[in-house]
Amino acid sequence: MTDSATRRATHTMIGIVILAVMLFPVYWMVNASLQPSGNTLTAGFLPLDPSFAGYRRALSEQGGNLVTSLIIATGTVVLSLAIAAPCAYALSQFRSRWVSIGLLAILISQMIPGIVIANALYTAYERIGLLNSIPGLILANCSNALPFAILILRSFMLSLPPSLVEAARVDGAGLFRAFVAIVLPISRNSLITAGLFSFLFSWSDFLFALTLTTKGGIRPVTLGIYQYLGTQVQNWNAVMATAVLSAIPAVVLLIAAQKYIAAGAVGGAVK
Amino acid sequence: MAQATLTRTVAVRRGRGRRGESLTKVLFVLPAALAMGALFGYPVVKNLVMSLQDYGLRTFFTGEAPFIGLKNYSAMVSDQLFSQAMVNTALFTIGSIAFQFGIGLALALFFRRRFPLGGLLRSLLLLPWLLPLIVSSATWRSILEQDNGILNRTLTGLNLIDQPVPWLNSPSVALIAVIGVNIWIGIPFNVTLLYSGLAEIPEELYEAGQLDGATGWRAFTHITWPNLRAVAGVLLMLGVVYTIKVLDIILGLTGGGPANATQTLATQSYERSFVDFKFGEGAALSNLLIALSFVFAIFYLRSTRRAVDE
């Protein structure tokens, strides 16, 4: 063993310790969700006698809300990508002074607090009947997903050579057809990245779920957890089981699409 | 001859195409422009107008919202919670960002060293940032619970404290606990951005520095930090803009309590509008939030202008 090999092994050990500290709350969430019902906060460090009572309760009480969240998040992905992709292409390939104006507008949009949007959308939705509706929440969630998707897609499409589309145009394809047939397939990875983030943004949304729904009816799972916290913190196992179920998309995306996620975090913020 | 005709036909077709094409080009942007207008332009204008109106519960029945000048703003400033909310917002923002950035930078520098599993560990570190905020809030509430939460049990077991600390139940500790949770949430994002900034610094700079005796701390101050400043600037401004409007975490952990100890401008704006149904006053508070974000936005746009120009 050389010195440097020992040092690298030490670094790996330190790295594992750092990760263990940072992810302890996530472990604790899983651990607490596997406790038998009652006040589960007395849980030991290991779920030696795991019980699925919390999950049974979570699924029966929050199962519908999980489906609602899934529908809203999927809708947000579809709508925001459909709107963002052509716009990102325009902002990356068209020559116009409007391009920099558009980019400035997107950057400014990131400064606008969600509560401002909620205030205004509530009054508008109240009038046009979109309160307590899935389309209303999908639209509101696009305020998180859309600017981000445009920036991610544009930063990729900037690297496309104009000749790519020109070639198809010579063959007589219209601009839009060339976009669908050539640009979109090539942009697959960036579409996946933007789609993943749109899904996560929408799935995690709490502010719009809280403000744009009134009693009963449509209730995303984030709101379900919030109401658990307000009313029955005695049943920690059900609360934590719901939290674990709500964390699944984040975990799946992190494991299945690691490189896209890191790329998205950097691309959306800096580019 | 045939060649010339062909060229002309192509030219004509192209000319006709161009006119139709500028319309197509508009159609590429139109849906996004409409959506951005509805989701950002309209809310900003609507909040400005509402903040000048007596826009309350009655408005939803009668449709009347009489203009009352700046009364919502004077009500906002004279509210006894206003100064506390301002101070809490400042403490929350500065405290969160200072530690997120500091710890994030330390971890990014650590992960910059190449070692087995480094990349995997670094990407798993992102998990807290990807979790829904309300999930994190619920988890931390169980950890910080006063009587049986694992943190107090551990600290008591280690004899570090005699009495359980009322993390979320005492007005003097709650803000610190909330800031702590927000730091935990923000660290992964800071690590990722700073790491990508570090990765762009050419290795040759360090090799050259080594010849001049710049290693360790000197390498950091002379090579790393100057090259990282642009990324750090963007990150800090983004941090302010994102943190100043945080609502989910506070509502999930404390709901602004105990005894209003964790009220911020964002939670106050939410309460005015959606608890008291005084949308005029809620709008005034949220306009103050926009104004504060905008001050920092100017710095932010300055520091990102280079990225946009590219």
Side-chain angles (χ1 to χ4, degrees), chain A residues 12 22 41 43 111 116 119 169, chain B residues 21 47 116 148 153 184 273:
Chain A
T12 304
M22 279 297 287
L41 286 180
M111 324 285 157
V116 170
N119 273 336
R169 305 293 308 285
Chain B
E21 195 169 298
N47 269 263
N148 296 307
R153 276 197 280 147
W184 176 77
S273 292

Side-chain angles (χ1 to χ4, degrees), chain A residues 30-51:
Chain A
V30 177
N31 182 32
S33 74
L34 291 170
Q35 302 300 322
S37 47
N39 190 343
T40 64
L41 286 180
T42 49
F45 274 94
L46 292 169
L48 292 177
D49 184 18
S51 148

Side-chain angles (χ1 to χ4, degrees), chain A residues 22, chain B residues 92-108 129 133 178-192 194 235-236 238-240 242-244 246 249:
Chain A
M22 279 297 287
Chain B
F92 181 77
T93 307
I94 296 168
S96 297
I97 291 174
F99 285 96
Q100 285 172 0
F101 184 84
I103 299 171
L105 181 58
L107 293 185
W129 180 62
L133 292 173
V178 171
I179 293 172
V181 173
N182 194 46
I183 292 169
W184 176 77
I185 291 168
I187 287 174
F189 183 67
N190 280 262
V191 174
T192 305
L194 289 168
L235 184 56
L236 289 172
L238 272 179
V240 172
Y242 289 158
T243 310
I244 208 168
V246 162
I249 303 161

Side-chain angles (χ1 to χ4, degrees), chain A residues 123 126-127, chain B residues 46 49-50 53-67:
Chain A
T123 59
E126 203 263 342
R127 210 164 306 141
Chain B
K46 180 74 181 171
V49 175
M50 271 200 300
Q53 287 174 309
D54 180 10
Y55 205 114
L57 199 52
R58 208 164 45 93
T59 310
F60 291 103
F61 296 108
T62 61
E64 285 168 22
F67 281 91

Side-chain angles (χ1 to χ4, degrees), chain A residues 45-99:
Chain A
F45 274 94
L46 292 169
L48 292 177
D49 184 18
S51 148
F52 289 91
Y55 285 90
R56 271 194 294 276
R57 186 173 182 138
L59 282 175
S60 72
E61 289 177 0
Q62 304 282 352
N65 299 343
L66 284 162
V67 174
T68 304
S69 283
L70 191 64
I71 295 170
I72 293 172
T74 310
T76 307
V77 172
V78 173
L79 184 61
S80 60
L81 287 188
I83 297 175
C87 177
Y89 180 71
L91 290 179
S92 69
Q93 300 283 328
F94 298 171
R95 303 265 166 275
S96 160
R97 68 197 162 88
W98 287 95
V99 168

Side-chain angles (χ1 to χ4, degrees), chain B residues 223-296:
Chain B
I223 303 169
T224 311
W225 184 247
N227 282 291
L228 200 59
R229 275 225 326 246
V231 174
V234 173
L235 184 56
L236 289 172
M237 293 317 142
L238 272 179
V240 172
V241 166
Y242 289 158
T243 310
I244 208 168
K245 62 185 181 187
V246 162
L247 192 59
D248 311 34
I249 303 161
I250 301 178
L251 286 183
L253 285 172
T254 62
N260 294 315
T262 54
Q263 292 283 2
T264 62
L265 291 175
T267 62
Q268 281 286 291
S269 174
Y270 164 75
E271 284 197 1
R272 286 294 158 281
S273 292
F274 292 100
V275 179
D276 304 340
F277 278 94
K278 290 177 184 164
F279 275 80
E281 289 185 25
L285 274 159
S286 63
N287 285 340
L288 177 61
L289 266 185
I290 296 185
L292 288 173
S293 297
F294 219 80
V295 172
F296 288 98

